[in-house]
Structures are given as C-alpha cells and as structure tokens.
Amino acid sequence: MLTLISIGSSFVPHLSVTTALALTAIDLGVLIYFIHHIATAIQLPTVIAGIAHELGRAIDAETAPAPGRGSLTAGLPLDRAAPVNGASAEVLLARLDRSGRVVTAQTSGYLRIIKHATLVRIAAEDAVIRLHYRPGHFLTKGHPMATVWPPEASAAIERRLESVHITGPLRTLRQDIAFGIDQLVEIAIRALSPAVNDTFTALTCIDWLGDSLCKIAVEWRPQSCHRDGLGVIRLISVPVSYERLVQRSFEKIRQAADGMPAVLIRQLDALSTIMAAAPPGRSQVLLDQAAMIARVSERTVPEPADQADVTARHEALLALRERAAHRQPDGSTA
C-alpha cells in the first residue's frame, strides 16, 4: 500500500512492486499452511498425543538425577529414609508435631513450583521445614502451608518462603505430573458422558495413560527428604506416590464406564502392559484396580459374552502376575 502511494505518472518503483508481489505469494502459502495446521491440531487424537508427550517430558525431568544428589538416599520413602548425618526423619517429624511453628500461605492459588534447593539453603541455618502441599495443590491464603522447627526460626523463614513458592490461577506440568494424567482422564470421562458418547476417544486416552504409567512404574522414585551438604535433613516434602498416580489414572474412568465393556477391557489391557513393565513390589495397586474393574463388569454389563471377555482379560492379567512372581532375577522361571 505504501508503494501504491509513491506511484506517479513518471515514476514506478518496480523493485518495491516485485517485492510486494513476492511477499503476497509467501503470505498466501503461510495462510494455507496455517489453516491446515489448525485443522490438524484441533483433532482430539492429536491433542491427546500432545498432552501425553508433554507428560513424558515432565516425567523425564522429574526422574532425572539432581546434581549432587547422593544415591544412598535418593528416592527412598519417608519411612525408610536413612540419613547420612543428623536426626532421622521420624525424630524430626515428632519435633515438628510437638513444637513446630505453622507458616501460613500469603496468597491463594495453585502451587506450581517449589524451589527445593533454595528451601534447603534457607533451612541450613539449623532449621527443618515440612511442607504440607505439593505442586498441583491449591493454597488458600491464611491457611497452613508449612511447619518450621525450631519455632524461633519460623519468623525469618516465613519472610523468605514466598520467594520459593510460585502460585498461579492454573496448574502446570512442571513438578506436577499428576496434572498431565488428570488432563487425559478429563478428556476420557467427557468422551464417555451420555452427551458425547465417544468411546474411541476414551480408548485413546487409556492407551496413552498406560504408556505413561509404564515409565512411571519403572522410574518414579520420589524423594521425600532433602538434605544439605552435610547430609542433614532440612526439608520434608509430600511428593505424589506411584500408587496414587495409578489410582488417578483408572478410578474416574472406571466410574464413568458402567456398562461399557470396551472401556473396561481396554483398561485391563493397559494394566497388563504396566504389570509387564513394573518392578517387583509395584503390582498390588494394579491388581486392586483390575479387581474393581471386574466387579464393575459383573454389576453393570448385562451381556454374558461381554462379561466373559472382561473376565478373560482379568484372568490373563492374574496369570501374568503369577509368572512375574515366579520369575528369577536372570529372567528364567522358577
């Protein structure tokens, strides 16, 4: 348009006109690509796969060894933590319950990020902090957020706690892998609602949930106790457990799948896939979910043939569990 203004009876800017035509052709190509990209990106399978891939990256980030984290204590549950130095976790928890000072949240919102290393440095001045919430929980202004021991250190720590907790109106996947699972579950239960009745979308969500849980079953070892450079416990957090992640992945979908054998069968197939990947000691929660699915089938599926299909998948999972129980460390069968 600026070029058109400069065109006169004796002057025509040929170079500018040629450049404008070239840019118009490029813009047309970009517009066609944009329309195609949007039409593809809004398809539910693409959206579901995108969420699953982001969840996988979040799992990788959370399970990657932190710099300087000792292998002796990394990933041990709170009741098994063996500190390198100082009091044990049980002793510290008793002190916190008996004489700890409660620190309240200064703002309301979803807890997005906790800077654990910074909290450890803050508490390294001979204090212990126990967090009541993890990323993904909702903080209410004025309600307890943490407990500090000794009590006299709480005032100084409270002033600095706000800078190491990031809250916001929405949850994010960073430090909150349960959010990715909840997103897939939300899509699945909406697809199963009578108003939508999109069974295949729910099946797609179950497939991706099974894929993510296979990785979680093998790699998820959340660290509850965080130590300073001397090996003294300075921070006790509340990470989400493997069992809770499995329950979040299956419970709401199962509750919405009354009378839907296809969904129940796919859930049992996903549990079998996770069972094959899970290390010893991580199968009980899978068996519990499978038993509840079998009971839903018995109660809500009227067709005997459909019930038989669900039962066959359940029995196949139990057989897989038996084979895993008798498998030797070298992979042979006892």
Side-chain angles (χ1 to χ4, degrees):
M1 293 179 66
L2 293 175
T3 302
L4 291 174
I5 296 174
S6 63
I7 296 176
S9 59
S10 60
F11 173 73
V12 177
H14 295 285
L15 181 60
S16 298
V17 171
T18 303
T19 303
L21 290 174
L23 290 176
T24 301
I26 294 173
D27 288 345
L28 182 60
V30 172
L31 178 62
I32 294 172
Y33 169 78
F34 174 75
I35 294 173
H36 171 75
H37 173 73
I38 293 299
T40 304
I42 64 175
Q43 294 181 15
L44 268 178
T46 303
V47 174
I48 294 169
I51 295 172
H53 290 152
E54 291 180 6
L55 175 58
R57 287 194 294 268
I59 295 170
D60 292 337
E62 286 295 301
T63 56
R69 182 184 295 177
S71 60
L72 178 62
T73 58
L76 287 177
L78 184 60
D79 57 349
R80 294 176 52 199
V84 176
N85 196 10
S88 67
E90 290 79 5
V91 171
L92 293 176
L93 284 174
R95 292 175 182 173
L96 287 161
D97 291 336
R98 183 173 60 252
S99 57
R101 181 73 58 83
V102 172
V103 175
T104 59
Q106 300 301 310
T107 58
S108 297
Y110 285 101
L111 183 58
R112 291 179 171 179
I113 299 173
I114 299 175
K115 300 178 182 178
H116 296 94
T118 305
L119 279 174
V120 170
R121 287 195 297 270
I122 292 174
E125 303 168 1
D126 201 24
V128 181
I129 303 172
R130 179 178 65 183
L131 300 177
H132 297 176
Y133 298 96
R134 63 174 177 264
H137 283 166
F138 188 85
L139 297 180
T140 302
K141 183 178 180 179
H143 284 234
M145 179 179 68
T147 304
V148 178
W149 182 91
E152 52 269 20
S154 62
I157 291 177
E158 184 174 10
R159 289 193 296 269
R160 304 170 67 182
L161 272 179
E162 192 65 23
S163 63
V164 296
H165 286 72
I166 299 177
T167 59
L170 302 173
R171 295 170 64 184
T172 64
L173 266 173
R174 186 176 178 184
Q175 295 189 0
D176 181 18
I177 67 171
F179 178 52
I181 291 176
D182 290 345
Q183 285 182 305
L184 293 174
V185 170
E186 180 182 6
I187 294 174
I189 60 179
R190 287 187 179 184
L192 293 177
S193 66
V196 178
N197 196 21
D198 184 3
T199 305
F200 286 99
T201 294
L203 298 182
T204 302
C205 292
I206 295 170
D207 291 338
W208 283 111
L209 284 167
D211 175 76
S212 299
L213 286 174
C214 284
K215 183 180 296 185
I216 291 172
V218 175
E219 301 179 3
W220 188 248
R221 297 288 190 278
Q223 185 180 16
S224 299
C225 298
H226 304 261
R227 297 172 170 79
D228 60 14
L230 300 176
V232 179
I233 297 176
R234 294 300 182 187
L235 175 67
I236 300 176
S237 59
V238 284
V240 62
S241 67
Y242 157 74
E243 287 78 12
R244 185 59 191 141
L245 291 173
V246 173
Q247 292 165 357
R248 294 176 84 116
S249 300
F250 286 92
E251 286 180 346
K252 290 183 177 62
I253 298 177
R254 184 193 70 244
Q255 294 161 4
D258 284 0
M260 297 184 177
V263 177
L264 301 177
I265 289 172
R266 188 62 64 90
Q267 282 196 302
L268 289 171
D269 289 342
L271 286 169
S272 297
T273 303
I274 303 166
M275 180 81 72
R282 289 204 154 182
S283 60
Q284 186 57 50
V285 65
L286 305 176
L287 295 174
D288 293 341
Q289 292 297 318
M292 286 185 279
I293 292 171
R295 290 195 292 270
V296 169
S297 173
E298 294 174 358
R299 187 176 65 253
T300 64
V301 176
E303 174 57 45
D306 292 336
Q307 280 196 17
D309 290 340
V310 176
T311 302
R313 292 301 204 286
H314 187 210
E315 291 175 351
L317 185 144
L318 297 177
L320 178 64
R321 175 66 182 92
E322 290 298 322
R323 290 195 298 271
H326 292 86
R327 188 178 300 128
Q328 300 297 322
D330 60 358
S332 61
T333 302

